[in-house]
Amino acid sequence: MEKRKEHELKIHENGKTSKSPKLCGTNYPVSISFIVVNEFCERFSYYGMKAVLTLYFINYLHWDPNLSTAVYHAFSSLCYFTPVLGALIADSWLGKFKTIIYLSVVYVLGHIVKSVGAIPSVGDSTIHIVLSMVGLILIAFGTGGIKPCVAAFGGDQFDEEHTNERRKFFSIFYMSINGGSVLSTLITPILRGDVQCFGGDCYALAFGVPAILMVIALVVFISGSGMYKKSPPEGNILLDVCKCMGLAIKNRWKSSKYDPKKKHWLDWAEDKYPRRLIHEIKMVLRVLVLYIPLPMFWALFDQQGSRWTLQATRMNMAFGSTFVLKPDQMQMLNALLILVFVPIFDMVVYPLIGLCRINLTPLKKMAVGMIFAALAFGSATLVEVNVTKTVVEPAPQGQCLLQVYNLAVSDVKLNISGSNLFSQPIKSYEDPPAYQHIQLGGHNKTINMGVTQNEILYQCVQTFTEQKAYTLVLHNNGSGIVCQLATDNIHKSEKMEAYLRFINTRSEAVNITVGAVDFYVPADYGISPHNSVERKEYTNDKCTSGSQNFLITLGLLDFGASYTVILKGDPGEIILQKMEDVKANNVHIAWQIPQYVLITAGEVMFSITGLEFSYSQAPANMKSVLQAGWLLTVAFGNVIVLIVAEGAGLDQWMEFLLFAGLLVAVCIIFSIMAYFYTYVDPDELDKLFPDKTVNDDDEDNLKKNQKYHMDQTDNSMYLNPIEKRTKM
């Protein structure tokens, strides 16, 4: 999840106001309590909404899985493009405090619009889609805009001499992020599935509660207004960097072959910008070049909320006979594992590697993190291959699917002209083993079939349409064999429910109530429609036939299965025979645990280490530039998923394998780039560019250096000091 990237916000700026009151005699400002509570509520709001988002697209807006995945990652991508805008607003115009306030209001409005769009009675499907998209855009601008501000604003609250307290604050801040994530991904799926409203899953409530938490976050943050240190906007270094680079490109383009040669293309901006700034930009560009392969990691990582959640909907979620996990709750495992893995890696894994005298540099850690993520998708591929064994794949164009129910009194043989299918006799009341593909050669086709019973041949003529699934029901009447064609539902329920229908062989119509669902089954081989029912064990369900009442037992109707129940027996009795048309989800959700363990281990080694490396390699006043670059790698990673989901058209297991292979290839490229990277110490800038006096330089250059020079901020937050000039 994205909370792993909140480390990127550990940027401190000197406060401009007086010292704030302290917490209980400590050196912690009272104001940080408001900021930590605000962050907890905001992260609850964001992750809670996002946890149910993919299932909302599929079950409420009725989009297909590929479109749902694409929109999910388009939203995630926008959430990581907008922080650049938020940083510009905060640093150049409003300051961090006002930026958080105003964009939090936008954030709240987005949640409200999103919640209203999830109310079925508000307009038609077009209105729901419009409100949902407007809400998501507002949320993206809200959460993305405040992302680069909140933690940095918290760092501003500490006095200069309290560096240890500031460092511990960021740990507390990070814990609040994970705490909000864990609780929200546990609670909002319960609100969605266990609370029923408007005749179905209560998405309005699942989105409404995060909206309330965001309102609380805003109120809490405003409540501490009188205690905050509020640094005024001082200009955005990102704009200065862009202007400097633009001028260098412009001057280089306009230069002639007679102009003096420059060692670096940025040196063409020396006539307007100080040499220190140009040197700092060169340092940052070397790190940004290393960022180029990084989006592929995020392309895999952020599929936890889309493809992995969809995979979970086709798995067995039951733990024992009482507890059933929801597919969108599985995402909380990442946040839980983060809380466990971070101290384990810092206090156990890395020290043990050091004892083995292995020089595990930051870039090596990041490469290993990529391998872990690739292995996670390898594990997901194995799970997907086994999950698809319970899935009936739809027929391609020019074909249809067919299974046969022989409800006659004896075995029959079925002969389809031009085909050798169903060559073996079909036993009476036999559960069909599998669907067979029927070649149509076009959109539809009328097929003449021969049915043989007791050496007597009967003709059966039916019309089939491509890409549909059918059941051919054969039964006896007074003159021989009768065939009846029924359209089947082969798709698994995305709501983790089972599908059920009845075939009534009796001479009286039957009314059946299964749970809260009513079925009417006409007499004389009447077939009820498929209806979805809750997954559970069904005993003593009400059944009415004529003037008689019966209690029937259907047994377990399991996750994702599709059942046909044959009703037979004399007028005074009802006998049931249950057929399983689509197999239940027989792969347990616990098989997803290895892929979550691997992806979380990859996150710890890649994300946290990458941020520490990036900041340690950049001058203090360039950390915001690298922050923007890091966030953009996340955004572009989601764009990659969007493109693959909409354009590749691969089976899901092949898509997982493709992502794993691409990340391994990217890891090799990254390792080669890292091998040639030389670590630097930004503190050496003060030696290269010492403060000058007017006597040493002209007044214009002095003003330039004074404008762009910034004191080094505390770098003690980094866990491991970087050894200079160490390869990879």
Side-chain angles (χ1 to χ4, degrees):
M1 297 187 178
E2 302 131 62
K3 65 259 172 217
R4 75 278 185 193
K5 293 174 287 298
E6 306 294 346
H7 289 288
E8 66 220 22
L9 303 179
K10 300 178 184 178
I11 305 170
H12 174 66
E13 298 172 10
N14 294 327
K16 299 293 183 180
T17 60
S18 59
K19 295 183 178 180
S20 59
K22 307 298 182 184
L23 279 169
C24 302
T26 68
N27 291 323
Y28 292 92
V30 174
S31 55
I32 67 166
S33 59
F34 295 93
I35 296 171
V36 170
V37 174
N38 165 270
E39 183 66 11
F40 174 86
C41 294
E42 189 274 327
R43 290 291 87 184
F44 186 109
S45 171
Y46 177 76
Y47 289 116
M49 179 277 302
K50 201 175 178 185
V52 300
L53 193 57
T54 299
L55 297 184
Y56 171 77
F57 291 151
I58 291 175
N59 298 328
Y60 185 83
L61 298 183
H62 305 295
W63 290 348
D64 64 73
N66 286 337
L67 178 59
S68 301
T69 299
V71 176
Y72 176 92
H73 287 282
F75 166 70
S76 298
S77 179
L78 185 59
C79 289
Y80 285 94
F81 280 117
T82 51
V84 178
L85 178 63
L88 288 172
I89 294 173
D91 291 346
S92 304
W93 180 25
L94 295 177
K96 287 190 279 294
F97 176 74
K98 290 184 178 179
T99 300
I100 295 171
I101 296 292
Y102 295 154
L103 290 181
S104 292
V105 173
V106 174
Y107 203 159
V108 170
L109 290 175
H111 273 301
I112 293 173
V113 172
K114 189 80 181 67
S115 302
V116 172
I119 300 175
S121 58
V122 178
D124 56 13
S125 60
T126 302
I127 296 298
H128 297 157
I129 292 173
V130 170
L131 290 176
S132 297
M133 294 304 101
V134 171
L136 288 177
I137 291 172
L138 292 175
I139 290 171
F141 276 93
T143 187
I146 68 175
K147 191 181 291 292
C149 301
V150 179
F153 187 69
D156 288 348
Q157 307 310 306
F158 290 86
D159 299 327
E160 246 344 276
E161 63 270 20
H162 299 146
T163 55
N164 288 332
E165 287 80 1
R166 185 191 304 127
R167 184 172 61 252
K168 292 177 182 178
F169 159 74
F170 285 119
S171 298
I172 297 170
F173 188 85
Y174 190 64
M175 293 291 288
S176 72
I177 292 166
N178 285 275
S181 172
V182 170
L183 286 178
S184 62
T185 50
L186 176 66
I187 293 173
T188 53
I190 294 175
L191 298 176
R192 170 194 63 80
D194 291 352
V195 179
Q196 298 293 300
C197 62
F198 307 107
D201 284 356
C202 200
Y203 286 100
L205 181 63
F207 292 138
V209 169
I212 294 172
L213 264 293
M214 192 57 220
V215 172
I216 294 173
L218 179 58
V219 171
V220 168
F221 186 75
I222 294 175
S223 299
S225 176
M227 303 180 187
Y228 296 140
K229 292 181 180 180
K230 303 170 186 175
S231 301
E234 298 179 354
N236 194 293
I237 190 65
L238 181 60
L239 287 177
D240 295 328
V241 169
C242 293
K243 290 178 181 178
C244 180
M245 293 173 63
L247 179 64
I249 295 171
K250 177 182 177 181
N251 289 344
R252 176 66 182 88
W253 182 261
K254 290 183 177 181
S255 65
S256 67
K257 61 181 180 179
Y258 302 107
D259 291 328
K261 301 297 181 183
K262 304 288 186 181
K263 292 183 178 180
H264 193 280
W265 63 273
L266 276 172
D267 293 335
W268 288 96
E270 284 182 336
D271 60 330
K272 185 175 181 180
Y273 291 91
R275 291 177 58 241
R276 172 163 183 149
L277 175 67
I278 293 172
H279 191 79
E280 288 171 338
I281 296 174
K282 291 177 183 177
M283 293 172 62
V284 169
L285 286 179
R286 294 175 66 248
V287 178
L288 290 178
V289 168
L290 286 177
Y291 279 178
I292 294 174
L294 303 191
M296 185 53 66
F297 175 88
W298 303 121
L300 277 67
F301 185 88
D302 281 337
Q303 290 187 56
Q304 294 175 73
S306 56
R307 292 301 200 197
W308 285 14
T309 297
L310 293 177
Q311 184 185 70
T313 63
R314 293 175 283 121
M315 301 179 74
N316 188 332
M317 309 291 290
F319 288 84
S321 58
T322 56
F323 179 69
V324 177
L325 193 69
K326 291 176 172 54
D328 35 359
Q329 286 179 321
M330 197 63 182
Q331 301 170 55
M332 72 177 177
L333 186 58
N334 173 253
L336 286 173
L337 288 173
I338 275 290
L339 297 177
V340 175
F341 279 10
V342 169
I344 288 177
F345 272 76
D346 286 342
M347 294 185 289
V348 179
V349 176
Y350 294 150
L352 285 177
I353 293 174
L355 289 175
C356 296
R357 298 189 178 184
I358 298 174
N359 185 19
L360 192 61
T361 61
L363 293 178
K364 287 180 180 177
K365 289 181 185 177
M366 293 176 68
V368 174
M370 289 182 177
I371 296 299
F372 274 125
L375 290 174
F377 267 66
S379 176
T381 301
L382 294 176
V383 171
E384 186 67 23
V385 167
N386 286 279
V387 164
T388 55
K389 291 179 180 178
T390 67
V391 175
V392 178
E393 294 293 338
Q397 290 184 343
Q399 298 181 29
C400 71
L401 299 178
L402 179 65
Q403 67 173 0
V404 180
Y405 282 168
N406 176 17
L407 306 185
V409 295
S410 62
D411 296 354
V412 301
K413 289 184 178 181
L414 178 66
N415 179 42
I416 299 177
S417 58
S419 169
N420 59 357
L421 300 174
F422 306 103
S423 58
Q424 298 298 318
I426 303 172
K427 295 182 179 180
S428 180
Y429 286 89
E430 177 185 39
D431 195 348
Y435 282 91
Q436 302 294 325
H437 286 256
I438 306 298
Q439 298 292 336
L440 302 180
H443 178 65
N444 52 49
K445 184 179 181 180
T446 300
I447 299 178
N448 187 7
M449 296 171 285
V451 182
T452 303
Q453 183 186 40
N454 299 327
E455 305 300 329
I456 302 175
L457 178 64
Y458 302 92
Q459 296 298 319
C460 175
V461 179
Q462 297 291 340
T463 300
F464 299 89
T465 301
E466 66 178 353
Q467 297 182 307
K468 288 190 175 183
Y470 298 96
T471 292
L472 182 66
V473 180
L474 305 176
H475 60 88
N476 290 109
N477 65 4
S479 59
I481 288 288
V482 175
C483 62
Q484 182 177 348
L485 196 64
T487 303
D488 290 359
N489 174 44
I490 60 171
H491 299 288
K492 288 182 175 287
S493 169
E494 299 291 353
K495 297 181 180 180
M496 306 297 296
E497 296 178 332
Y499 284 109
L500 178 65
R501 71 176 173 183
F502 294 90
I503 299 179
N504 183 15
T505 69
R506 304 167 75 254
S507 58
E508 293 180 329
V510 179
N511 289 287
I512 302 174
T513 300
V514 180
V517 182
D518 294 324
F519 293 84
Y520 172 73
V521 197
D524 299 322
Y525 296 93
I527 303 175
S528 72
H530 277 102
N531 285 322
S532 61
V533 295
E534 183 183 354
R535 182 264 184 193
K536 69 175 186 178
E537 190 92 20
Y538 287 91
T539 59
N540 298 326
D541 289 289
K542 181 181 177 182
C543 174
T544 303
S545 179
S547 60
Q548 294 180 305
N549 294 322
F550 302 91
L551 293 177
I552 61 175
T553 296
L554 296 172
L556 177 64
L557 302 182
D558 211 351
F559 294 110
S562 183
Y563 299 97
T564 297
V565 176
I566 312 298
L567 305 176
K568 52 187 179 179
D570 296 328
E573 65 176 349
I574 289 184
I575 300 173
L576 308 180
Q577 182 171 342
K578 185 168 67 174
M579 310 282 200
E580 191 176 38
D581 301 328
V582 177
K583 293 185 181 298
N585 302 345
N586 57 18
V587 179
H588 198 271
I589 190 62
W591 286 105
Q592 274 199 338
I593 293 176
Q595 63 202 58
Y596 274 97
V597 170
L598 289 167
I599 200 76
T600 306
E603 174 188 0
V604 172
M605 299 197 73
F606 179 89
S607 179
I608 298 174
T609 305
L611 287 162
E612 292 165 356
F613 160 77
S614 300
Y615 285 125
S616 70
Q617 295 297 286
N621 62 326
M622 290 290 177
K623 297 189 189 300
S624 62
V625 178
L626 277 180
Q627 175 186 324
W630 183 267
L631 293 172
L632 289 177
T633 66
V634 184
F636 283 117
N638 282 275
V639 170
I640 292 172
V641 184
L642 191 157
I643 294 171
V644 173
E646 281 295 291
L650 299 173
D651 291 339
Q652 189 56 69
W653 70 270
M654 295 179 65
E655 186 178 295
F656 284 159
L657 198 60
L658 172 65
F659 276 112
L662 288 175
L663 187 57
V664 170
V666 166
C667 180
I668 293 172
I669 295 172
F670 176 78
S671 299
I672 295 171
M673 296 171 65
Y675 178 79
F676 292 101
Y677 181 84
T678 302
Y679 290 82
V680 298
D681 182 2
D683 291 335
E684 292 184 349
L685 283 171
D686 290 329
K687 299 177 182 178
L688 292 173
F689 302 97
D691 290 335
K692 297 181 180 181
T693 64
V694 178
N695 294 331
D696 293 327
D697 208 345
D698 61 82
E699 186 176 353
D700 290 338
N701 283 336
L702 173 62
K703 291 180 179 179
K704 291 177 185 177
N705 279 295
Q706 288 175 335
K707 178 181 179 182
Y708 289 101
H709 178 71
M710 179 181 289
D711 292 336
Q712 295 291 327
T713 56
D714 172 48
N715 284 326
S716 58
M717 67 181 116
Y718 309 123
L719 301 179
N720 300 312
I722 309 297
E723 182 182 353
K724 293 192 296 179
R725 307 197 69 79
T726 301
K727 292 294 185 182
M728 192 168 169

